[in-house]
Amino acid sequence: MPELPEVEVTRRRIAPAMVGRTVRSVRTTANSYFFVTPPGRLRARLAGRRLAGLTRSGKYLLAHTEDGSRLLLHLGMTGQLFSSDATSPRLLSATARAALEPDAQLDFRPDRHTHLRLAFDDGGPEVYLRDVRKFGKVQWLAPGEPCERLDRLGTDALEVTGSHLFEASRGRKVAVKSFLLDQSVVAGTGNIYADEALFHAGVRPTRAAGRVPRRSYEAIADATKRVMLRSIETGGSSISDYVAPDGSDGGYQDERRVYARTGSPCRACGTAIRRKVIGQRSAHYCPACQR
DNA sequence: ACCGCACCCTGAGCGC
DNA sequence: TGCGCTCAGGGTGCGG
């Protein structure tokens, strides 16, 4: 599931394949709620544009055109933004994978989940946006057009501070885990990094956000930034579908302490990691290290 | 204002 | 073999 580190790694690695190139043609799948901007209009707006930059806000990517228009992309749960040169078993379904010879590298062919295909006028590699569950979003923003999704976002997780979290949490009764997932408080944190940051800060995810002391929020803010920067360094977490734009896996899944490690021994103290549903999401924590 | 929950979607994995 | 069920979850919107 792409969170800030995966989106940032995607941004850095796909940028060379987008920025400075002119879109020649756009192909999309049929209209669905995945397309905030209907696909017909999207194709018309995008064709012929030269892309001038690629930025990130929280978990959103923004491709900027020379005239100030923006293409807003969200990868949702299963979104993959990659070059047509990429090969990875993660770009195939399990049945397609099973049909592969052990060491075969099957080139990716756009399938029914490939919702956006950008071809460029230099005839080079295309850029694909694939999203099996369609929890992602694509939206066209005209120059100056306001965007509620972006305006709602709080402090970017890479810049979050303990005082910001402390002040925003006063009076809040939700579990601190749910509080950290609120994108209007911190933008970019998702289920994996919220669990990991709480582990490193030694805070139990079930605690009411409003009752977590300032010093713990300092630790949570530090841990959030440290964990995310390290994940970016290692190429993100390839836990289910995430794959970098060149098809390579990330490495941070090997460094995680609690996420999806239910029943395994805590790497710090050996106690079995527990899983508990908080706010309709799985939370993972060490009952001994996190109080 | 805040909180809990349903909903959007598809594939994997499981029990029968 | 195959069916039906459950689970995974980011973000939005609604009712209490």
Side-chain angles (χ1 to χ4, degrees):
Chain A
M1 49 230 69
E3 303 178 27
L4 187 150
E6 291 74 35
V7 176
E8 179 60 19
V9 170
T10 297
R11 186 190 72 78
R12 293 181 188 183
R13 298 203 197 163
I14 201 71
M18 293 177 75
V19 178
R21 298 179 78 193
T22 300
V23 177
R24 188 192 67 214
S25 64
V26 183
R27 275 171 293 186
T28 67
T29 49
N31 196 14
S32 70
Y33 81 107
F34 179 83
F35 291 101
V36 178
T37 301
R41 200 195 313 170
L42 191 69
R43 292 193 296 267
R45 298 286 182 278
L46 207 39
R49 306 277 178 157
R50 183 168 184 272
L51 303 179
L54 186 66
T55 60
R56 180 190 59 76
S57 290
K59 300 176 200 172
Y60 290 96
L61 283 175
L62 283 157
H64 303 256
T65 68
E66 282 180 323
D67 68 344
S69 302
R70 294 172 294 170
L71 176 70
L72 181 74
L73 305 174
H74 194 287
L75 301 179
M77 278 274 303
T78 53
Q80 300 165 318
L81 183 67
F82 57 100
S83 159
S84 56
D85 282 345
T87 50
S88 165
R90 290 187 200 273
L91 297 172
L92 306 171
S93 68
T95 31
R97 267 201 298 275
L100 273 184
E101 297 297 317
D103 51 355
Q105 276 287 43
L106 197 68
D107 285 340
F108 176 77
R109 300 261 179 270
D111 58 3
R112 70 193 188 97
H113 305 300
T114 311
H115 303 297
L116 187 64
R117 300 161 62 176
L118 302 180
F120 297 91
D121 66 354
D122 56 18
E126 302 188 4
V127 169
Y128 296 149
L129 175 57
R130 183 171 183 267
D131 186 354
V132 170
R133 286 180 208 167
K134 288 205 285 195
F135 278 19
K137 288 278 177 286
V138 182
Q139 184 174 11
W140 180 262
L141 297 168
E145 184 179 344
C147 177
E148 263 190 46
R149 294 166 201 280
L150 292 175
D151 293 344
R152 268 198 287 269
L153 296 180
T155 313
D156 196 83
L158 289 182
E159 274 149 33
V160 72
T161 63
S163 345
H164 168 67
L165 292 177
F166 178 74
E167 277 144 35
S169 64
R170 293 308 89 183
R172 301 282 305 260
K173 290 179 179 166
V174 273
V176 62
K177 165 71 186 288
S178 305
F179 174 71
L180 293 176
L181 294 179
D182 183 342
Q183 301 297 297
S184 69
V185 175
V186 203
T189 307
N191 218 25
I192 300 172
Y193 299 99
D195 281 359
E196 294 300 311
L198 287 169
F199 171 82
H200 288 284
V203 176
R204 187 79 66 112
T206 45
R207 289 182 58 184
R211 303 184 66 95
V212 172
R214 182 183 284 274
R215 67 177 178 282
S216 295
Y217 277 121
E218 296 290 350
I220 292 170
D222 286 350
T224 299
K225 290 180 279 193
R226 210 172 57 242
V227 158
M228 287 190 175
L229 288 171
R230 174 62 188 157
S231 181
I232 292 169
E233 267 179 34
T234 61
S237 299
S238 286
I239 289 177
S240 52
D241 305 88
Y242 175 73
V243 68
D246 56 358
S248 64
D249 275 3
Y252 197 75
Q253 63 279 3
D254 301 331
E255 299 191 19
R256 77 201 134 101
R257 294 293 189 267
V258 288
Y259 183 81
R261 294 195 65 241
T262 313
S264 302
C266 170
R267 298 210 163 108
C269 75
T271 306
I273 299 302
R274 268 188 214 161
R275 172 183 175 275
K276 184 175 167 50
V277 175
I278 300 173
Q280 286 80 245
R281 300 277 142 80
S282 308
H284 311 80
Y285 65 99
C286 170
C289 295
Q290 294 170 260
R291 297 289 174 183

